[in-house]
């Protein structure tokens, strides 16, 4: 039996132990062998949300153990009570738990077992590490994201120490250079540089260390890949030796090999183009986006009689130049307005401008666009004076030809009118012939017939008979004239056939004189005929 002093001491120890449990920052939970809560300190109340009055007397598994783990929790306690072997006792465990409001948390739990009064008891010390766990997980994810960004970046990220020793290079360096991860040659990272760039690289590193080169001041360095090919890297550096998270010099290198090769090819093509443009008979002026001269060939300066060499025009303001040369044009103000129309996009292609000396130039304007915005202007001038003169001469020839054609057409119209008149006359003549043949032959035939009738009688004297014979002879002569008209018509229609007959020329002469004797007698002219038979 304990003495009074021992009992008082035991009571003091119990009170002190209880005070420590209540003041503990960790949740202290004590359960019996049936899993029923017998102790639930204020920290447990804060962690799990159950007041001690509600928790004590309840099975702990029903309070804080997730439903999916309750069976295995009960099986573990049963196994311990049977075998006295506990795999989770006196160990710091991380396990899920649930709170009074159903919220899932993560706790760090240490379980101890002891016997008292012939019974088995279990005490757990629980600490809510949900936020710590979440923070650690976020930090791990952040580190993973950072590592992933660095490793998958198209830029090569390299870290050197203060002496320039190679500490780290991102995956892009492996991908671009072909060297395996962790490759560390005897000469360090500088041994991968082109020998001609070694001095520049060392100087750049010293400037980064000294703080005289900022993170935006890039330098272009050549690196030899695993096959000895040259790669161009645009490199910047930042001194983070004082940053405890880095403690190094961080280099950012971007592969600009394709751009550099393209620039070199562009330089070659530009030189070739400049050679071509310098030799063609075409004045070329190229302006940049500020309308300053970027290129001009020699023929351009010759066209405008410029005393300034092409190289001396580079960089000059084109607006100012235009004002200086405008008086060399026949229409100075029109020349300036034409430039403004071209830039605004309202001028025609192949616009002609006339110089004050009479020469004619043809001007083409080509805008240079980059991503839809104006990046420059190209002006092309060609001397078309000879062509314009040839066109004028051709136009004059065409006009002369048109005039000649009009004259020929007028002459042809006159001839056609004359032909129509002749056709009308021919029709009149044919009508006249028809009339003569019809209207004259009939009465003449009657006259001849009656004269023959008169000559058949004996009542006329010799002189009368001679008169009647004259009438008959002249009537026959008229009939002959009618026949001549008909003969002429047949000749014109090419239907005439000759009927050759013997003719008494003496009788023809006598008859002709006799036919004209009345007229000769009236004028007192005597005609005598003496012809042989």
């Amino acid at each position: 039996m304990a003495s009074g002093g021992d009992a008082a001491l035991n009571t003091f120890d119990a009170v002190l132990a209880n005070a420590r449990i209540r003041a503990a920052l960790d949740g202290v939970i004590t359960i019996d062998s049936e899993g029923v809560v017998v102790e639930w300190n204020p920290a447990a109340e804060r962690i799990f949300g159950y007041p001690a009055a509600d928790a004590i007397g309840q099975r702990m598994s029903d309070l804080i153990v997730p439903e999916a783990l309750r069976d295995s929790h009960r099986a573990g306690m049963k196994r311990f009570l049977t075998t006295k072997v506990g795999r989770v006792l006196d160990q710091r465990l991380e396990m899920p738990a649930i709170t009074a409001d159903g919220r899932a948390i993560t706790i760090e739990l240490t379980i101890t077992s002891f016997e008292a009064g012939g019974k088995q008891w279990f005490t757990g010390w629980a600490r809510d590490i949900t936020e710590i766990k979440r923070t650690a997980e976020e930090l791990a994810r952040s580190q993973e994201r950072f590592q992933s960004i660095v490793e998958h970046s198209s830029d090569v990220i390299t870290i050197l120490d203060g002496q320039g020793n190679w500490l780290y290079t991102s995956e892009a360096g492996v991908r671009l250079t072909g060297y395996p991860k962790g490759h560390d040659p005897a000469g360090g990272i500088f041994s991968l540089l082109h020998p001609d760039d070694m001095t520049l690289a060392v100087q750049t590193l010293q400037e980064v260390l000294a703080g005289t080169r900022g993170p935006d001041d890039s330098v272009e360095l050549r690196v030899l890949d695993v096959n000895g090919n040259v790669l161009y890297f645009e490199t910047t550096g930042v001194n983070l030796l004082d940053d405890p998270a880095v403690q190094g010099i961080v280099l950012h290198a971007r592969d600009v090999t394709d751009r550099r090769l393209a620039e070199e090819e562009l330089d070659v093509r530009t030189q070739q183009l400049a050679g071509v443009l310098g030799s063609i008979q075409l004045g070329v002026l190229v302006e940049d986006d500020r309308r300053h001269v970027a290129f001009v060939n020699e023929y351009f300066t010759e066209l405008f009689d410029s005393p300034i060499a092409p190289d001396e025009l580079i960089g000059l303001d084109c607006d100012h130049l235009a004002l200086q040369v405008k008086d060399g044009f026949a229409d100075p103000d029109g020349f300036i307005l034409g430039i403004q129309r071209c830039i605004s996009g309202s001028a025609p292609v192949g616009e002609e401008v006339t110089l004050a000396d009479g020469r004619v130039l043809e001007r083409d304007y080509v805008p240079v666009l980059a991503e839809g915005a104006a990046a420059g202007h190209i002006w092309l001038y060609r001397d078309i004076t000879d062509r314009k003169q040839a066109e004028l001469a051709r136009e004059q020839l065409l006009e002369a030809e048109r005039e000649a054609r009009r004259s020929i057409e007028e002459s042809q119209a006159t001839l056609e009118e004359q032909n129509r008149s002749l056709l009308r006359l021919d029709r009149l003549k044919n009508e006249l012939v028809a009339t003569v043949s019809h209207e004259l032959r009939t009465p003449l035939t009657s006259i001849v017939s009656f004269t023959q009738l008169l000559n058949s009688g004996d009542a006329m004297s010799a002189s009368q008979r001679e008169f009647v014979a004259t009438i008959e002879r002249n009537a026959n002569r008229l009939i002959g004239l009618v026949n001549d008209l008909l003969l002429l018509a047949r000749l014109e229609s090419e239907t005439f056939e000759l009927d050759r007959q013997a003719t008494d020329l003496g009788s023809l002469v006598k008859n002709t004189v006799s036919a004209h004797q009345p007229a000769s007698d009236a004028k007192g002219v005597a005609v005598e005929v003496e012809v042989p038979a």
Side-chain angles (χ1 to χ4, degrees), residues 332-398:
D333 294 335
F335 168 70
I336 300 297
L337 291 175
I339 293 177
Q340 296 172 354
R341 286 197 303 271
C342 287
I343 295 177
S344 66
S346 60
V349 176
E351 184 180 16
E352 295 180 1
V353 291
T354 304
L355 297 175
D357 59 8
R359 287 180 296 149
V360 180
L361 304 182
E362 186 177 64
R363 175 174 62 197
D364 288 330
Y365 166 73
V366 181
V368 179
L369 301 178
E371 298 181 354
H377 314 273
I378 299 177
W379 302 92
L380 305 175
Y381 286 88
R382 60 182 63 85
D383 189 345
I384 60 171
T385 305
D386 293 341
R387 190 184 77 187
K388 295 297 291 184
Q389 291 176 348
E391 290 176 354
L392 179 60
R394 184 183 66 177
E395 187 62 32
Q396 291 173 345
L397 289 174
L398 289 175

Side-chain angles (χ1 to χ4, degrees), residues 18-30 37-48 50-52 55-56 124-126:
N18 186 56
R20 288 176 177 173
I21 290 173
R22 292 184 61 80
L25 297 177
D26 292 343
V28 179
I29 304 171
T30 301
V37 176
V38 297
E39 187 174 37
W40 188 271
N41 75 338
E45 292 180 341
R46 290 192 301 271
I47 294 172
F48 298 105
Y50 293 103
I56 294 175
W125 298 78

Side-chain angles (χ1 to χ4, degrees), residues 413-474:
T414 301
L415 289 175
E416 290 176 354
E417 181 61 29
Q418 291 176 349
N419 288 336
R420 288 193 291 270
S421 299
L422 290 174
L423 289 174
R424 288 195 296 270
L425 291 174
D426 187 61
R427 286 196 300 272
L428 292 175
K429 181 198 68 176
N430 291 336
E431 292 173 359
L432 176 62
V433 170
T435 301
V436 169
S437 63
H438 181 269
E439 300 296 334
L440 294 181
R441 284 175 65 90
T442 300
L444 288 174
T445 301
S446 298
I447 292 172
V448 170
S449 297
F450 281 108
T451 55
Q452 290 176 353
L453 181 60
L454 289 174
N455 279 328
S456 64
D458 295 334
M460 290 187 300
S461 62
S463 59
Q464 290 175 336
R465 290 184 182 279
E466 186 176 352
F467 292 152
V468 172
T470 299
I471 293 171
E472 182 181 2
R473 187 171 59 250
N474 283 296

Side-chain angles (χ1 to χ4, degrees), residues 153-170:
S153 172
S154 59
D155 291 351
V156 180
I157 300 175
T158 301
I159 301 178
L160 307 178
D161 64 14
Q163 288 71 43
N165 297 317
W166 194 355
L167 301 179
Y168 167 82
T169 293
S170 64

Side-chain angles (χ1 to χ4, degrees), residues 210-228:
T212 57
R213 177 178 289 272
D216 295 329
D217 298 330
S218 63
V219 62
E220 190 173 284
L221 298 173
R222 287 170 290 180
V223 176
L224 303 178
D225 68 8
V226 68
N227 298 316

